[in-house]
Amino acid sequence: MKKTPLNQVHRELGARMVDFGGWDMPVQYSGVIEEHLAVRQAAGLFDVSHMGEVEVRGANALAFIQHLTINDAAKLVDGQVQYSAICYPAGGVVDDVTLYRFNASHFLFCVNASNIEKDFAWMQQALRESALADVTLTNRSVEFAQIALQGPKSVVILSALTDVQLGELTYYHFCEGTVAGVPMIISRTGYTGEDGFELYLPAASAVAVWQNLLAAGAPHGLLPIGLGARDTLRLEKGYALYGHELSREISPLEGGLAWITKLDKDDFIGKAALVAQKAAGVPRRRVGLIMEERGIPREGYSLFAGDREVGVVTSGTMSPTLKLGIALALVEPGAAGLDSELDVAVRNRRMRARVVRPPFVQ
Amino acid sequence: MEFPEELKYTEEHEWVMVEEDLAVVGITDFAQDALGDVVFVELPEVGTVIEAGKAFGVVESVKAVSDIYAPVSGTVEEINDDLVEAPEIINTSPYEDGWMIKIRMADAADADDLMDAEAYQALIAEES
């Protein structure tokens, strides 16, 4: 199994480890609910070193990225981050990514851990087929560790370890600076819906930076956070997870990413299929569901409007904040209306749920 | 982790306390720890006839859904209603406040085949 540079640290912290797409990762330390609430109320520290990083350099870097991705990368300025996705020609999703612009000839993609090899091969193929000259792709995933510091206390914790003026670093922007003496990329982004940072740093410095952050954060209630709470935190905010709301079989228009699908942009991979899908009417829509009965919707549970099956749950959990079952689901457009009531098939029973627009938690 | 001597145990990590022909059933400390935070419990109605080895209920943590299996056959005499509102009791008190159901056993000898604390601890030592 693949290990991040922090593997031993997790074991020493007493984490329960699981196989997450081939990676030996902490699923929880003190408990999913306690960790979840720590991030909402104070701060949490996540090892996300399994995530991949692919660098794009060269005079045609921007032109290539515009061809590769569905969002409009031309809107980015130096030091800005953009949420985007890469599609197949048929419109399904290769991966959802964040894109960092250093300058017009230097970008970095952050990609999902389980998709690193697939994405990099796809990018190389797309580059060959584009016939664009002077673009270099480098998979730097092994060099980078990644630590996320998330929660309302993130700024006060990080500012104790850096000279970077964090107040000037706005949401979805990044800079290069040092934390605990280690040079790194400091990005004001995250996957929890809270204020916070994602730090991209040399793998060899991961343990030292992690220990410094944990020590600086402890007086503020910082806890180490496993993948269990990472999932409940993103779900409460309605964020998509590749393999659930997005996949080769689910287009960005279906999966809730219409807001980053720039169909008025010049040609990009998947554009024709997505334009056609929009014109014909998107066959499924991603919605949020809140349970109106006691019960927890889970991935794969069927949804019914009366006797008719109208969709399926793609991610579901008990919301630690709301103490209610919540889910993201793909449903027929006719069943996707806000406040519609649908039945979730929970084992041998039907339980009532209401269609809402995420986030579930403000 | 605790495994009281006076209880009997199953391979699926339920415990049973036998009082004449009544069996009180819950899940073990090992089971609650493996599940993590319990957030939902589904129990049968009083009067339901249940069969040893068959699932009679469900316990859900934040991440996972697990069946609970009947250690003995019989009729559900009482269920622990407190678990509906506060399923986390199973984490904090698996052997006492976290009991799940009481079964009026069809045959009190059913429980004789279950593991004692020592055998159960040997089983989980093997599993973990």
Side-chain angles (χ1 to χ4, degrees), chain A residues 10-341:
Chain A
H10 302 315
R11 293 176 178 280
E12 284 160 13
L13 286 167
R16 178 167 303 153
M17 307 298 285
V18 294
D19 178 352
F20 179 75
W23 290 82
D24 187 41
M25 296 297 288
V27 66
Q28 66 166 59
Y29 301 83
S30 51
V32 174
I33 294 175
E34 184 182 353
E35 292 168 32
H36 179 109
L37 297 176
V39 175
R40 291 275 180 257
Q41 292 158 8
L45 201 61
F46 303 69
D47 175 16
V48 282
S49 301
H50 59 313
M51 301 288 281
E53 294 84 10
V54 177
E55 192 175 70
V56 188
R57 281 183 184 266
N60 275 322
L62 179 58
F64 170 65
I65 288 165
Q66 283 292 65
H67 170 66
L68 180 74
T69 64
I70 67 172
N71 204 342
D72 187 0
K75 295 250 170 67
L76 282 172
V77 298
D78 295 354
Q80 196 177 4
V81 190
Q82 183 179 67
Y83 180 56
S84 191
I86 300 169
C87 281
Y88 292 102
V93 179
V94 179
D95 204 0
D96 64 326
V97 299
T98 46
L99 174 63
Y100 289 73
R101 175 177 159 137
F102 291 79
N103 57 59
S105 59
H106 180 197
F107 293 81
L108 187 75
F109 281 114
C110 177
V111 308
N112 282 300
S114 52
N115 291 340
I116 295 172
E117 286 77 24
K118 178 188 77 173
D119 289 2
F120 190 60
W122 180 257
M123 290 178 194
Q124 288 176 308
Q125 184 187 332
L127 179 58
R128 277 195 303 274
E129 290 173 1
S130 74
L132 282 166
D134 195 12
V135 178
T136 309
L137 289 169
T138 312
N139 180 358
R140 300 189 58 190
S141 303
V142 178
E143 295 163 52
F144 277 110
Q146 202 187 130
I147 296 172
L149 170 64
Q150 300 279 298
K153 298 285 175 65
S154 297
V155 172
V156 63
I157 293 167
L158 191 60
S159 59
L161 297 172
T162 185
D163 293 333
V164 169
Q165 293 302 305
L166 299 174
E168 291 166 17
L169 188 62
T170 53
Y171 190 55
Y172 262 72
H173 286 76
F174 71 98
C175 67
E176 292 170 273
T178 62
V179 174
V182 176
M184 63 181 70
I185 299 165
I186 303 170
S187 174
R188 197 150 196 173
T189 49
Y191 196 43
T192 64
E194 299 298 326
D195 190 11
F197 302 90
E198 291 171 310
L199 308 174
Y200 296 77
L201 61 151
S205 302
V207 172
V209 172
W210 173 276
Q211 303 290 21
N212 272 285
L213 284 163
L214 213 52
H220 300 283
L222 175 87
L223 291 181
I225 313 294
L227 293 178
R230 182 166 162 85
D231 194 52
T232 54
L233 287 158
R234 70 96 191 170
L235 250 176
E236 284 189 343
K237 295 293 176 174
Y239 296 157
L241 176 60
Y242 190 84
H244 297 255
E245 288 72 44
L246 301 170
S247 74
R248 186 168 195 141
E249 284 73 43
I250 306 168
S251 84
L253 300 178
E254 296 173 300
L257 300 191
W259 63 283
I260 61 162
T261 310
K262 301 301 161 87
L263 297 177
D264 51 356
K265 190 175 84 160
D266 284 347
D267 199 31
F268 61 88
I269 300 171
K271 180 178 173 181
L274 294 170
V275 167
Q277 186 180 64
K278 191 177 178 188
V282 177
R284 301 174 293 183
R285 289 191 179 283
R286 189 186 86 176
V287 297
L289 297 173
I290 291 188
M291 296 303 294
E292 298 197 322
E293 294 183 68
R294 205 185 292 272
I296 306 173
R298 302 281 182 181
E299 183 182 2
Y301 287 6
S302 297
L303 300 170
F304 291 85
D307 289 334
R308 211 161 57 83
E309 189 166 350
V310 295
V312 65
V313 171
T314 52
S315 298
T317 191
M318 170 70 77
S319 159
T321 303
L322 302 176
K323 298 185 170 63
L324 292 170
I326 60 170
L328 297 174
L330 284 174
V331 301
E332 293 176 1
L338 279 188
D339 291 324
S340 303
E341 295 206 312

Side-chain angles (χ1 to χ4, degrees), chain A residues 16 33 294 298 347 349, chain B residues 33 37 60-62 85:
Chain A
R16 178 167 303 153
I33 294 175
R294 205 185 292 272
R298 302 281 182 181
R347 293 178 286 279
R349 267 194 274 166
Chain B
D33 183 68
D37 296 324
E60 298 194 38
S61 65
V62 179
E85 290 295 332

